[in-house]
Amino acid sequence: MKSGLLSACLLTLGAESAQSEGALPYVGLWATKDNHIRHELLPNGRYVEARGTRERAYEGRYEVTGTHIEYWDDTGFTADGDFVEPNVLHHAGMVLIRQ
């Protein structure tokens, strides 16, 4: 029973790692010019969004395909964006710059 659970956990971790491989060039902190919106793209395919003084306003998973990013918030909200330059992300009408 324990080995089955361990195998399931390892498969899940492997899937998260595989999903995030396309994200590797984009992992890190992205923020609006005024620093009000900040997205931290984590290497495990998860993200944390801060808004103003709310450091963990939103959290969820993301996937990058080419230069397109899809977000799935843990509450069910979805969003997307595009990396239009190596250090510029257009997301939901905002421009975020790599920090």
Side-chain angles (χ1 to χ4, degrees), residues 30-78:
W30 298 78
T32 54
K33 196 177 255 188
D34 64 2
N35 210 38
H36 183 74
I37 307 293
R38 299 171 306 282
H39 288 191
E40 185 173 4
L41 302 180
L42 304 170
N44 65 353
R46 299 280 300 166
Y47 76 92
V48 178
E49 180 177 321
R51 289 183 172 244
T53 58
R54 291 180 54 206
E55 286 301 319
R56 299 183 86 83
Y58 300 99
E59 297 181 60
R61 68 181 182 90
Y62 72 93
E63 287 183 21
V64 175
T65 304
T67 57
H68 185 77
I69 185 168
E70 293 279 343
Y71 296 90
W72 293 269
D73 186 86
D74 289 344
T75 66
F77 179 79
T78 61

Side-chain angles (χ1 to χ4, degrees), residues 8-36:
C9 289
L10 290 174
L11 286 173
T12 300
L13 289 173
E16 284 182 0
S17 177
Q19 289 175 352
S20 65
E21 285 178 14
L24 288 179
Y26 304 110
V27 166
L29 184 62
W30 298 78
T32 54
K33 196 177 255 188
D34 64 2
N35 210 38
H36 183 74

